[in-house]
Amino acid sequence: MTHFHDATTCQSCAQRFTSVFCKAKQEFIADINEQKICNVYKKGQTLFNEGSYPFGVYCINDGKVKLSHLGDDGKEQIIRLLRGGDVLGYRALLSGERYSASAIALEDTQVCFIPKELFISVLKSDTGLAFEMMKLLSDELHKAEVKLTHLAQKPIRERLAETLLFIKETYGYEADGITLSVRLSREEIANLVGTATESTIRLLSEFKKDGMVELDGKKIKILRQKELIKTANLQD
Amino acid sequence: MTHFHDATTCQSCAQRFTSVFCKAKQEFIADINEQKICNVYKKGQTLFNEGSYPFGVYCINDGKVKLSHLGDDGKEQIIRLLRGGDVLGYRALLSGERYSASAIALEDTQVCFIPKELFISVLKSDTGLAFEMMKLLSDELHKAEVKLTHLAQKPIRERLAETLLFIKETYGYEADGITLSVRLSREEIANLVGTATESTIRLLSEFKKDGMVELDGKKIKILRQKELIKTANLQD
DNA sequence: TATAGCGCATGATTTTTATCATGTTTTTAG
DNA sequence: CTAAAAACATGATAAAAATCATGCGCTATA
């Protein structure tokens, strides 16, 4: 079983320099530290469910989480991948709606929960944090718009290559420097790319044949990142 | 040529009850009123261009604007449609980046420009407005995520029906109660749906044959909204 | 007012992608 | 440890969508 760092206080939290909250004033960090509730979710467990009401925000201390939407026909669409330092659950809270997506742990994950009232009150008194939140939302909106454009305009082959690079950007490599450090099923990759599972499987096999990746079950190694970038046909 | 209402002051502006700014405190509204610069953009004119730096936010007083992205291969993707009361340009400003999309007037449009420094300083001092902005961003993010899911999972026929309904929601009908009150080219509709222009033309013809719409050049009349909703296969 | 160009329309064809079918391998649970 | 289920893989086929091609009609403009 995964072993976690000590995160009993926000002041000693491993994420204290990476999270949005690092910009909050010390006094508020102390408040958060008092009221936060830490929790460990095992792989596959749900932090919150689409359709339910938000009671606070979640702050990932260590681990990996996927945020996914159900399409009108019940098919999962993975909207975002989250890692240590990321905050989630704020979107529904800020727009005063139910959760529009479910959050599920991709591996054993340590999470701090910050109650709604506290979050809102800190946000009200700490302008810096409010601006950080606005920046965070703006960045997410930007990413969503770019993804939207690619989804509308790029063929699946390019989108799969892009998705593999995105996974690498998000979670990085294992110690060997080439294995993606997350285990996703082919179906999950498909739900990230926005395609059928079989298409993903087929294209991954092609990428393997082309020598760009190596496949070993759910372990994916990136052998030629440059070619993958070329395959993804990215401008930036 | 279009004739516009008087909008010389924010206090008498037709949008003073609908815009996000309606939640700003009176004192700040007065500041904005002093520093704003009003302008009329003719159909086809650009308010700002993807890639350039934002110097403020734009507030539509009256008119219609499209916000669009260029895909990596240069194809337009329409991200949002805006109308009187809508604000634009804030995303890039808040995340401190260049514009990631261009804003182009779909018809003669009256716009107020609010300089960056003023916008930021009001946002700093007016918590209510900051929360409104966070809510706005959250709502946009939500819409983008839903659109993303539909783009990934729904066939073009459903997406076109949904787009027509979306246009209706955004701009409404003309006096006759059935004609969409915006003139978009087939290509623009395609760039909203995320498909090829020919596919859009073909499907619109089908919708016409099915008696759901009536086509008269760029004039589109919705004859059977219920069937259109069914065709869009929407859950909510 | 002639005409070049654009937007609209539609047919034919090709490409892309999803679906169905089937077998194999890997996990999971009893 | 073993059976059942889930995940992976791959071929065959069907469906969806893009592309190419052509023609028509409107409109901007020289």
Side-chain angles (χ1 to χ4, degrees):
Chain A
M1 194 81 310
T2 320
H3 183 264
F4 288 110
H5 276 241
D6 184 19
T8 41
T9 76
C10 294
Q11 289 81 0
S12 68
C13 170
Q15 302 303 340
R16 89 201 99 118
F17 302 123
T18 47
S19 147
V20 245
F21 290 109
C22 66
K23 296 287 172 68
K25 293 185 191 136
Q26 279 307 315
E27 41 180 312
F28 299 124
I29 302 248
D31 287 348
I32 291 169
N33 184 44
E34 297 227 335
Q35 292 191 47
K36 75 176 193 306
I37 299 159
C38 288
N39 222 324
V40 173
Y41 294 85
K42 298 212 169 169
K43 180 178 173 170
Q45 278 193 318
T46 297
L47 313 219
F48 57 77
N49 248 315
E50 187 169 346
S52 60
Y53 279 104
F55 292 111
V57 297
Y58 299 80
C59 197
I60 301 180
N61 187 346
D62 195 14
K64 300 182 175 76
V65 171
K66 68 174 173 181
L67 199 64
S68 52
H69 234 224
L70 283 188
D72 291 346
D73 52 351
K75 194 186 173 193
E76 174 188 54
Q77 179 66 33
I78 302 183
I79 295 296
R80 225 177 305 164
L81 292 179
L82 303 142
R83 58 180 171 183
D86 285 336
V87 179
L88 65 162
Y90 53 86
R91 203 219 46 85
L93 207 77
L94 288 170
S95 59
E97 294 167 358
R98 296 166 189 236
Y99 286 122
S100 57
S102 302
I104 294 162
L106 291 170
E107 57 180 49
D108 294 359
T109 298
Q110 197 177 38
V111 178
C112 292
F113 176 83
I114 299 163
K116 175 180 170 171
E117 295 71 24
L118 177 63
F119 178 67
I120 297 290
S121 86
V122 173
L123 218 45
K124 267 189 183 138
S125 5
D126 192 329
T127 311
L129 184 63
F131 268 80
E132 281 303 312
M133 281 307 301
M134 287 191 267
K135 178 166 163 40
L136 181 60
L137 283 159
S138 297
D139 289 343
E140 289 303 327
L141 185 55
H142 180 215
K143 282 185 216 156
E145 287 171 354
V146 170
K147 198 166 174 188
L148 211 112
T149 304
H150 289 183
L151 216 36
Q153 301 185 355
K154 293 181 159 223
I156 294 186
R157 190 183 170 78
E158 296 184 16
R159 298 206 320 261
L160 175 60
E162 192 176 343
T163 298
L164 292 177
L165 293 167
F166 168 69
I167 294 171
K168 180 233 143 191
E169 283 308 311
T170 309
Y171 294 134
Y173 292 128
E174 292 185 0
D176 64 4
I178 53 169
T179 305
L180 292 180
S181 68
V182 66
R183 297 297 128 86
L184 295 169
S185 69
R186 302 293 191 260
E187 190 180 8
E188 284 174 315
I189 297 175
N191 295 344
L192 210 40
V193 174
T195 187
T197 308
E198 294 96 321
S199 301
T200 298
I201 291 172
R202 242 181 274 274
L203 280 169
L204 277 176
S205 298
E206 279 188 36
F207 285 4
K208 179 182 167 186
K209 210 175 292 169
D210 297 348
M212 292 193 286
V213 305
E214 196 178 304
L215 304 172
D216 174 17
K218 287 192 180 32
K219 260 188 241 176
I220 297 176
K221 296 180 200 225
I222 306 294
L223 300 183
R224 301 195 196 164
Q225 186 171 319
K226 275 195 184 169
E227 269 195 62
L228 254 188
I229 293 174
K230 214 183 287 175
T231 303
N233 191 23
L234 294 170
Q235 235 55 20
D236 36 343
Chain B
M1 193 81 309
T2 320
H3 181 264
F4 288 110
H5 275 242
D6 185 18
T8 40
T9 75
C10 294
Q11 289 82 359
S12 68
C13 171
Q15 303 302 341
R16 85 201 104 115
F17 302 123
T18 47
S19 145
V20 247
F21 290 109
C22 66
K23 295 287 172 66
K25 292 182 192 138
Q26 279 308 314
E27 43 180 310
F28 299 123
I29 302 248
D31 286 348
I32 290 169
N33 183 44
E34 297 228 334
Q35 290 191 47
K36 74 173 194 307
I37 298 160
C38 288
N39 222 324
V40 174
Y41 293 84
K42 298 213 168 167
K43 179 177 174 171
Q45 278 193 317
T46 298
L47 314 217
F48 56 77
N49 249 313
E50 187 168 347
S52 59
Y53 279 105
F55 291 111
V57 297
Y58 298 80
C59 197
I60 301 180
N61 187 346
D62 195 13
K64 302 182 174 75
V65 172
K66 69 174 174 181
L67 199 64
S68 53
H69 234 225
L70 285 188
D72 290 346
D73 51 352
K75 194 185 172 192
E76 173 187 53
Q77 178 67 32
I78 300 183
I79 295 296
R80 226 177 303 165
L81 291 179
L82 302 143
R83 57 180 172 186
D86 284 337
V87 179
L88 64 162
Y90 53 87
R91 202 219 48 83
L93 207 77
L94 288 169
S95 59
E97 294 167 359
R98 296 165 189 235
Y99 287 122
S100 58
S102 302
I104 294 162
L106 290 170
E107 57 180 50
D108 293 359
T109 298
Q110 197 178 34
V111 178
C112 292
F113 176 82
I114 299 162
K116 174 179 171 174
E117 294 71 25
L118 177 62
F119 178 67
I120 298 289
S121 86
V122 172
L123 218 45
K124 266 188 184 140
S125 0
D126 192 329
T127 310
L129 184 62
F131 268 80
E132 281 304 312
M133 281 306 301
M134 286 191 268
K135 179 166 162 40
L136 181 60
L137 283 160
S138 297
D139 289 343
E140 289 303 327
L141 185 55
H142 180 215
K143 283 185 215 156
E145 286 171 355
V146 170
K147 196 164 176 192
L148 211 111
T149 304
H150 289 183
L151 217 34
Q153 299 185 358
K154 292 183 159 221
I156 292 185
R157 190 183 170 80
E158 295 183 17
R159 301 213 310 269
L160 175 60
E162 192 176 344
T163 298
L164 292 177
L165 294 167
F166 167 68
I167 293 171
K168 179 233 143 192
E169 284 308 311
T170 309
Y171 294 134
Y173 292 128
E174 290 185 2
D176 64 4
I178 53 170
T179 306
L180 293 180
S181 70
V182 66
R183 297 298 129 85
L184 295 170
S185 69
R186 303 293 191 260
E187 189 180 7
E188 283 173 316
I189 297 175
N191 294 343
L192 211 37
V193 174
T195 186
T197 308
E198 294 96 320
S199 301
T200 297
I201 292 173
R202 242 181 274 274
L203 281 168
L204 278 175
S205 299
E206 279 188 35
F207 285 5
K208 179 183 169 185
K209 210 175 290 170
D210 297 349
M212 291 193 288
V213 304
E214 196 179 303
L215 304 173
D216 174 16
K218 287 192 180 32
K219 261 188 239 177
I220 297 177
K221 296 179 198 228
I222 306 294
L223 300 182
R224 301 196 195 164
Q225 187 171 320
K226 275 194 184 171
E227 267 194 64
L228 212 49
I229 293 174
K230 212 183 288 174
T231 303
N233 191 24
L234 294 170
Q235 235 54 23
D236 34 344

